Amino acid sequence: MKILILEDNERLGNLMVEALEQKKYRIDLFKDGKVALKAIDNGYDCFILDINVPGIDGLSLLKEIRVMDASTPAIIISANVELDTIQEAYSKGCDEYLKKPFYMYELETKIEKLCKPKICLVSLPEGFCYSMEQEILLDGEGEEVKLAKKEILLLNLFTKNLNKNISFERIEQYVWGGELTTTENIRALVKRLRKKLPEDTIENQGGIGYRLHYEH
């Protein structure tokens, strides 16, 4: 699991990183909201945001996150216990509000509850089932189909945006983590993933991107 943490208190930030890395989570820690904003589309499974930080505050960052990503869980951590602030946090899309100071166990429990990928996140056509937790596909006969790292990231992006057009630029940002790549590399990745999915599941979108076609 990959987690973005926005926390400008160096001691608390380092404690969270140390505790969560022991859980085998991958952590990116940011102290400035403007810097974190540039990274929010880098394939995170969970956002942990303090409110009062330099640059862009945590609630404003959460609003930006929800414009691009309506489903990835977000946990607000703050010493602010004013009802108006808590209500604003939930109205902007936070899933949990954790009041400082907190025990690290509380944070770990909320992450486990909210953010840990579920078995069978989405059922694909023809009985295929995608398991984020096990990083496999189960085909119509229950056979495992292994996925490479970038295939996992690409399928994560598609399943978060079922039936929505995904541009080459967004695939590059999400799968390659902001590193530059070529259109040919993206097309090659899509081609490899297509071979592991039912026919016509991934559709071309006029040479500008792709979408995962899925009918419930």
Side-chain angles (χ1 to χ4, degrees), residues 68-197:
M68 297 193 301
D69 183 344
S71 60
T72 299
I75 300 171
I76 293 293
I77 54 173
S78 179
N80 190 323
V81 294
E82 295 293 329
L83 179 60
D84 288 347
T85 301
I86 296 173
Q87 289 177 330
E88 182 182 2
Y90 280 108
S91 70
K92 288 186 175 178
C94 93
D95 296 277
E96 283 282 0
Y97 193 102
L98 186 58
K99 300 172 185 177
K100 295 181 181 178
F102 54 83
Y103 292 105
M104 204 58 60
Y105 170 78
E106 294 179 84
L107 179 61
E108 292 171 358
T109 300
K110 290 186 184 299
I111 291 172
E112 286 283 324
K113 177 182 176 182
L114 290 172
C115 306
K116 190 172 182 179
K118 306 295 190 298
I119 297 291
C120 215
L121 172 71
V122 60
S123 294
L124 299 168
E126 299 182 16
F128 275 64
C129 178
Y130 172 47
S131 167
M132 287 179 65
E133 184 174 282
Q134 296 179 358
E135 299 181 348
I136 59 172
L137 285 167
L138 300 177
D139 67 15
E141 298 178 355
E143 296 294 324
E144 293 185 0
V145 180
K146 297 295 184 181
L147 298 173
K149 180 180 178 180
K150 282 187 170 57
E151 293 169 353
I152 294 165
L153 288 170
L154 181 58
L155 190 52
N156 283 349
L157 179 61
F158 280 138
T159 55
K160 288 179 178 180
N161 297 275
L162 291 175
N163 297 315
K164 295 180 181 179
N165 297 341
I166 307 296
S167 68
F168 287 113
E169 292 76 16
R170 189 167 183 197
I171 292 173
E172 177 184 70
Q173 183 71 19
Y174 190 95
V175 176
W176 275 264
E179 296 180 5
L180 294 178
T181 190
T182 64
T183 302
E184 289 73 20
N185 284 341
I186 295 173
R187 285 176 172 153
L189 175 62
V190 172
K191 183 177 180 180
R192 293 196 299 272
L193 182 59
R194 269 188 171 136
K195 292 180 179 179
K196 300 180 179 182
L197 294 174

Side-chain angles (χ1 to χ4, degrees), residues 33-85:
K34 286 185 178 179
V35 179
L37 177 60
K38 297 177 181 178
I40 59 175
D41 202 26
N42 285 352
Y44 294 104
D45 302 299
C46 192
F47 297 100
I48 300 173
L49 311 173
D50 189 11
I51 295 179
N52 296 316
V53 296
I56 299 174
D57 67 87
L59 294 183
S60 296
L61 180 60
L62 177 59
K63 183 179 178 180
E64 294 294 330
I65 289 171
R66 288 297 176 243
V67 170
M68 297 193 301
D69 183 344
S71 60
T72 299
I75 300 171
I76 293 293
I77 54 173
S78 179
N80 190 323
V81 294
E82 295 293 329
L83 179 60
D84 288 347
T85 301

